Amino acid sequence: MHFKFKIQPYQTAAAKAVADVFAGQPNSGAAVYLRDLGRGATKNGMETIAGFEEQLEASEGYANAPLALGSATLLDNIHKVQRANGIPETEALAKGPAPVNLDVEMETGTGKTYVYTKTMLELNRLYGWTKFIVVVPSIAIREGVYKSLKNTEQHFFEQYGKAIRYFVYDSSRLGEIDRFSSSADVNVMIINMQKFNTSMKEGGSSKEARIMYSERDEFGSRRPIDVIAANNPIVIQDEPQKMGGKATQAGIKRFHPLACLNYSATHKDQHDMVYVLDALDAYNQRLVKRI
């Protein structure tokens, strides 16, 4: 089935608000680095770990290029975006798990997933960033995000000429993390909060935590957390008010994120707000039937 989507001005404006925060960032493409292929994993045909050979075609990884903008420039850009969108200016860069922590307020039912998908592609087009992680509060929302990425593939390909590679994190399929690292395409890892919190608790007794933080034989004696963090991903929190606990925020910080983008209708913890589409705005634009 081919879905047709109408490009809404407010969705474009929301994506632009985030992208404009990084105005002046050079687009140098992905940052190439030498991946740790793990013990026994080599490129020249030496002994490899069973089931791991398909990952050895290239030793290059592609990470998000680091921020080239200083705090003063970033804050000035945020102020420009806030003035343009009628939002009170923040006094200093908000603290959070990343150097840049932005809030986008959107009423439920106005297409948050569409907006942050478009935002990822805009950040790639403008600045060359390719690695993203979407953290969601439930399995249901995780499945909804996965379905949305699938349904909008053709729509966004027609706009950007690129297809997003996306997958749901599963500790039994660690090879997907390697593909996430070795691909120069736009890549998205989706993970729900419960799995995220149990996985990211270093020293935790859960199976998920032991896998994330231990050197795995089936993963070249590497720690999955280190392989993910090498990509300096941009983390997107969908409905952060439902998962804003210390465990989640500490876990996100361990990913060494370039930026953290928070999308919700009701933000509990405030960061640097760059776009607001509240209930009244949504109603006046006939995006929802009632407030």
Side-chain angles (χ1 to χ4, degrees):
M1 182 182 295
H2 180 66
F3 293 88
K4 291 186 178 180
F5 295 88
K6 180 180 179 181
I7 300 176
Q8 301 279 7
Y10 74 90
Q11 294 171 330
T12 300
K16 183 177 186 299
V18 172
D20 284 353
V21 167
F22 304 99
Q25 170 76 19
N27 185 347
S28 54
V32 181
Y33 68 97
L34 185 63
R35 290 193 301 127
D36 175 9
L37 296 179
R39 190 176 304 160
T42 65
K43 191 178 177 182
N44 57 8
M46 294 177 66
E47 182 180 358
T48 60
I49 295 167
F52 193 65
E53 291 84 351
E54 69 274 13
Q55 307 300 329
L56 307 179
E57 295 179 358
S59 59
E60 289 184 342
Y62 298 88
N64 286 336
L67 281 171
L69 308 178
S71 298
T73 301
L74 286 166
L75 185 59
D76 184 56
N77 286 346
I78 289 171
H79 286 166
K80 290 176 181 177
V81 172
Q82 290 172 331
R83 287 194 295 269
N85 291 324
I87 299 170
E89 295 181 23
T90 51
E91 294 183 1
L93 289 178
K95 294 183 179 180
V100 178
N101 303 275
L102 306 177
D103 290 345
V104 174
E105 182 179 322
M106 295 185 66
E107 183 63 15
T108 301
T110 56
K112 292 194 304 295
T113 308
Y114 179 99
V115 166
Y116 62 67
T117 302
K118 183 177 180 66
T119 301
M120 289 187 281
L121 288 163
E122 279 294 300
L123 293 175
N124 173 258
R125 180 181 70 87
L126 293 169
Y127 312 118
W129 292 324
T130 61
K131 302 298 169 68
F132 302 88
I133 296 176
V134 177
V135 185
V136 300
S138 68
I139 292 175
I141 294 179
R142 183 194 72 191
E143 295 306 306
V145 171
Y146 186 90
K147 185 176 180 180
S148 176
L149 288 170
K150 182 177 181 180
N151 290 341
T152 56
E153 276 183 314
Q154 184 62 33
H155 170 72
F156 283 120
F157 185 82
E158 291 170 358
Q159 290 185 56
Y160 293 93
K162 291 186 176 182
I164 295 175
R165 297 180 72 257
Y166 52 92
F167 70 99
V168 173
Y169 171 78
D170 188 328
S171 59
S172 67
R173 299 198 301 268
L174 295 178
E176 292 177 326
I177 298 176
D178 254 316
R179 287 185 281 274
F180 179 79
S181 301
S182 62
S183 171
D185 299 326
V186 180
N187 285 259
V188 179
M189 182 176 85
I190 312 164
I191 186 169
N192 60 286
M193 178 188 67
Q194 184 176 8
K195 186 175 286 290
F196 182 87
N197 286 346
T198 56
S199 297
M200 299 305 294
K201 187 176 181 181
E202 186 168 13
S205 59
S206 72
K207 175 183 176 183
E208 297 289 349
R210 291 198 303 271
I211 290 175
M212 182 65 81
Y213 284 100
S214 65
E215 295 181 353
R216 311 299 300 172
D217 289 343
E218 71 275 20
F219 200 51
S221 297
R222 299 169 301 168
R223 301 196 317 166
I225 182 62
D226 296 330
V227 176
I228 295 171
N231 297 285
N232 299 121
I234 292 173
V235 173
I236 293 170
Q237 291 193 88
D238 191 330
E239 302 290 346
Q241 79 281 1
K242 297 179 181 179
M243 52 183 184
K246 292 182 179 179
T248 303
Q249 302 311 305
I252 289 174
K253 191 172 184 179
R254 291 184 183 278
F255 281 146
H256 295 170
L258 187 76
C260 187
L261 314 178
N262 308 292
Y263 291 79
S264 176
T266 54
H267 289 277
K268 180 180 178 181
D269 297 318
Q270 302 294 319
H271 303 94
D272 291 323
M273 185 73 71
V274 292
Y275 185 81
V276 174
L277 180 73
D278 59 22
L280 183 59
D281 293 329
Y283 179 77
N284 289 337
Q285 294 183 44
R286 298 182 179 180
L287 303 175
V288 295
K289 292 184 178 180
R290 60 183 180 180
I291 299 177

